[in-house]
């Protein structure tokens, strides 16, 4: 055993420096280098495994099992994969522990075993929450232990199907001489849990804290190690919660799950479009409905716009639920191609329900909402907009147009404004009138 050394690790990017620096040379962040004591090991270890030819490994996919929550299964790619490592992050109090405890109850009810390792709450607190949620199972084992060195013994004793670690910032290993939550502890604990998951075939769920910027706390290597990273979004004052995967080795990252927080726990919302359109006032200008596509399902969302005279020399452009650059692009196209004098007006755009739309098919609905507010012309309540707006003002086609139209027809919309070259057939679309347009200029004529 050699003597101890000191290194400084950036908890933003993982850059290692020999001395403390105010600014990280790797990512440029300030005051992110933390001290870490390492012990150099001089002895060499022999390999305990032999290299295996790729052709000798079976390509059969592991059988997934359900978490009992369809929205969580959707985001995970169809269910929980045995031996996977899932990291769930979200703001404090948003319901991460409640979500995983409900999933544990469903798994235990179907014959599985769950080991719930809590480093933040006592067993009594978890028991009270479980009773409030109606969960009372002998197949859920609670463990108030922060030392991960003892975890293999508990796995051997309980033989769980799923292990929940709440949270990764509170556990530690005795081989790293630093406090829980430090860069070294997070990296070593995540690596140990990953090794346990792959060797035992047990699925692990890790709860992660987030920073004030909304990113997962700790080094980025934590997100690289795990198989799936899921963000639990939504403010405490909002009823609805959104599950969104930003990394998934077993499925798509475009899936979105919608949940509702209630007094009895978290409730799934299978018909998200009706929820987002509930309470919509169609008599006012600046309100449109777009048919976005999130993962494998269409989602109808209301887009609101407010165009008001600017009292400043520089007009304001504010947006919620869209990328700021997309709003600037749409405003520029409306000014150049449609002749709308928006340079002396403030433009505010919002997507209702707390959803962030990345689908470019919402461009046409945003342009129609801005034009409606500017001209003070309400959009017909039974009209939905689908299409991407190009810089030339041309309306470009989007994928899965038929699925979007069927979702709109199911919700009672009778008119859909779509790109002229989007439809290749209208089978099954007789219940909705399709209006094809070529350019954004035609939007004003359609709304009249």
């Amino acid at each position: 055993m050699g003597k101890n050394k000191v290194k400084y690790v950036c908890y933003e990017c993982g850059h290692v420096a020999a001395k403390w620096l105010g600014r990280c040379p790797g990512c440029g962040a300030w005051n992110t280098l933390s001290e870490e004591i390492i012990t150099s090991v001089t002895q060499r270890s022999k390999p305990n495994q032999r290299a295996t030819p790729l052709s000798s490994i079976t390509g059969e996919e592991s059988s997934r099992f359900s978490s009992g929550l369809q929205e969580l299964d959707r985001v995970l790619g169809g269910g929980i994969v045995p031996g996977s490592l899932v990291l769930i992050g979200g703001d404090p109090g948003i319901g991460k522990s409640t979500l995983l405890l409900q999933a544990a109850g469903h798994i235990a009810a179907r014959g599985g075993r769950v080991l719930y390792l809590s480093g933040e709450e006592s067993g009594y607190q978890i028991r009270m929450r479980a009773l409030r949620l109606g969960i009372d199972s002998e197949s859920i084992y609670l463990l108030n232990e922060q030392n991960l060195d003892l975890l293999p013994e508990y796995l051997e004793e309980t033989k769980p199907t799923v292990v929940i670690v709440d949270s990764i910032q509170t556990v530690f290993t005795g081989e790293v001489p630093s406090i829980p939550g430090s860069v070294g502890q997070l990296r070593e604990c995540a690596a140990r849990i990953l090794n346990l998951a792959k060797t035992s075939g047990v699925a692990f769920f890790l709860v992660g804290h987030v920073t004030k910027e909304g990113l997962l706390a700790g080094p980025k290597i934590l997100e690289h190690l795990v198989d799936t990273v899921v963000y639990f979004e939504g403010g405490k004052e909002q009823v609805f919660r959104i599950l969104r995967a930003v990394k998934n080795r077993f499925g798509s990252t475009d899936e979105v799950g919608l949940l509702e927080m209630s007094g009895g726990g978290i409730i799934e919302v299978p018909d998200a479009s009706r929820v987002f359109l509930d309470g919509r006032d169609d008599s006012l200008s600046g309100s449109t409905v777009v048919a976005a596509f999130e993962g494998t399902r269409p989602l109808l969302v209301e887009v609101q716009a407010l165009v008001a005279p600017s009292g400043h020399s520089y007009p304001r452009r504010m947006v919620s639920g869209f990328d700021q650059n997309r709003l600037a692009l749409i405003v520029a196209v409306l000014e150049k191609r449609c002749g709308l004098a928006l340079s002396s007006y403030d433009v505010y755009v919002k997507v209702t329900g707390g959803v962030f739309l990345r689908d470019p098919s919402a461009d046409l609905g945003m342009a129609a909402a801005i034009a409606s507010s500017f001209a003070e012309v309400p959009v017909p309540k039974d009209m939905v907009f689908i299409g991407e707006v190009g810089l030339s003002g041309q309306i470009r086609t989007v994928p899965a147009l038929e699925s979007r139209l069927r979702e709109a027809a199911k919700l009672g919309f009778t008119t859909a404004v779509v790109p002229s070259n989007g439809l290749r057939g209208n089978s099954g679309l007789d219940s909705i009138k399709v209006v094809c347009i070529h350019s954004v200029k035609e939007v004003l004529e359609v709304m009249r």
Side-chain angles (χ1 to χ4, degrees):
M1 200 69 81
K3 50 181 179 176
N4 296 337
K5 296 182 180 180
V6 176
K7 64 180 180 180
Y8 296 86
V9 184
C10 174
Y11 58 79
E12 290 288 345
C13 66
H15 179 83
V16 180
K19 61 180 181 178
W20 187 87
L21 301 171
R23 186 177 186 181
C24 173
C27 62
W30 290 91
N31 299 323
T32 57
L33 293 178
S34 60
E35 182 181 4
E36 184 176 331
I37 301 175
I38 58 174
T39 303
S40 59
V41 180
T42 56
Q43 64 179 14
R44 297 181 59 183
S45 59
K46 295 181 179 180
N48 54 7
Q49 291 186 0
R50 298 183 61 184
T52 306
L54 179 62
S55 58
S56 65
I57 301 176
T58 59
E60 298 179 359
E61 185 179 358
S62 300
S63 58
R64 300 173 184 261
F65 61 93
S66 175
S67 65
L69 299 172
Q70 294 183 2
E71 297 299 301
L72 178 59
D73 290 343
R74 181 197 301 272
V75 175
L76 294 178
I80 303 174
V81 177
S84 62
L85 185 57
V86 181
L87 177 62
I88 297 183
D91 293 332
I94 197 173
K96 302 183 294 297
S97 302
T98 302
L99 173 70
L100 293 178
L101 188 57
Q102 286 187 230
H106 289 296
I107 294 172
R110 299 182 180 185
R113 290 187 175 187
V114 180
L115 177 61
Y116 195 112
L117 190 151
S118 176
E120 298 181 353
E121 295 179 298
S122 65
Y124 174 77
Q125 291 175 301
I126 300 175
R127 171 64 174 169
M128 294 302 296
R129 180 187 291 118
L131 292 177
R132 178 172 56 86
L133 299 175
I135 301 173
D136 189 12
S137 175
E138 295 182 356
S139 297
I140 301 178
Y141 299 88
L142 299 182
L143 180 62
N144 289 111
E145 180 61 64
Q146 295 177 294
N147 190 355
L148 274 186
D149 298 334
L150 306 176
L151 185 56
E153 300 179 12
Y154 292 113
L155 293 181
E156 184 65 27
E157 177 185 350
T158 58
K159 300 187 183 304
T161 309
V162 173
V163 177
I164 299 172
V165 180
D166 188 6
S167 66
I168 185 61
Q169 277 85 5
T170 59
V171 296
F172 69 92
T173 173
E175 295 188 3
V176 178
S178 57
I179 62 174
S182 63
V183 176
Q185 287 286 1
L186 286 174
R187 184 172 59 246
E188 182 64 24
C189 291
R192 287 186 172 227
I193 293 175
L194 177 64
N195 182 59
L196 285 174
K198 302 307 177 186
T199 55
S200 65
V202 177
F204 279 78
F205 282 86
L206 309 181
V207 176
H209 297 166
V210 296
T211 62
K212 61 181 179 180
E213 290 83 12
L215 303 176
L216 282 166
K220 281 295 179 182
I221 193 174
L222 182 63
E223 299 182 41
H224 292 302
L225 284 175
V226 302
D227 296 314
T228 306
V229 180
V230 177
Y231 278 92
F232 203 17
E233 303 172 353
K236 296 180 182 179
E237 68 282 352
Q238 296 178 350
V239 178
F240 298 105
R241 305 284 191 267
I242 296 176
L243 281 173
R244 189 188 302 273
V246 297
K247 174 189 176 182
N248 193 353
R249 289 175 179 161
F250 308 112
S252 172
T253 57
D254 297 326
E255 297 289 354
V256 170
L258 184 64
L259 304 169
E260 180 181 356
M261 180 64 72
S262 66
I266 293 177
I267 304 174
E268 296 181 90
V269 183
D271 198 351
S273 298
R274 294 186 185 275
V275 172
F276 289 131
L277 298 179
D278 187 29
R280 177 172 174 253
D281 189 354
D282 7 346
S283 63
L284 301 177
S285 62
S287 173
T288 60
V289 176
V290 300
F293 217 81
E294 294 289 342
T296 58
R297 65 176 178 182
L299 193 66
L300 268 66
V301 185
E302 180 187 3
V303 177
Q304 298 177 344
L306 177 63
V307 180
S310 176
H312 310 280
S313 58
Y314 185 77
R316 302 186 68 181
R317 307 283 187 255
M318 297 186 64
V319 62
S320 174
F322 281 106
D323 183 22
Q324 184 76 28
N325 296 326
R326 288 176 66 186
L327 173 60
L329 184 148
I330 297 299
V331 170
V333 171
L334 290 175
E335 283 189 310
K336 180 71 174 180
R337 306 301 178 187
C338 299
L340 300 185
L342 297 173
S343 58
S344 58
Y345 287 83
D346 295 333
V347 179
Y348 306 90
V349 176
K350 179 183 179 182
V351 180
T352 60
V355 182
F356 190 93
L357 294 181
R358 297 177 175 86
D359 191 352
S361 66
D363 290 349
L364 183 58
M366 188 198 306
I370 296 174
S372 170
S373 179
F374 179 81
E376 290 294 339
V377 177
V379 178
K381 63 179 182 180
D382 57 350
M383 183 176 291
V384 62
F385 294 85
I386 309 169
E388 179 183 358
V389 178
L391 292 179
S392 62
Q394 180 185 7
I395 308 302
R396 307 181 65 87
T397 186
V398 294
L401 185 56
E402 286 81 3
S403 299
R404 303 170 196 257
L405 291 175
R406 291 191 181 94
E407 179 72 10
K410 185 178 72 173
L411 294 178
F413 288 88
T414 59
T415 305
V417 182
V418 302
S420 57
N421 59 346
L423 284 178
R424 292 173 174 79
N426 59 350
S427 59
L429 303 175
D430 299 334
S431 58
I432 186 170
K433 177 184 177 182
V434 178
V435 179
C436 298
I437 61 175
H438 295 80
S439 66
V440 72
K441 281 184 179 181
E442 304 174 37
V443 174
L444 296 176
E445 300 175 4
V446 170
M447 292 190 303
R448 294 191 179 97

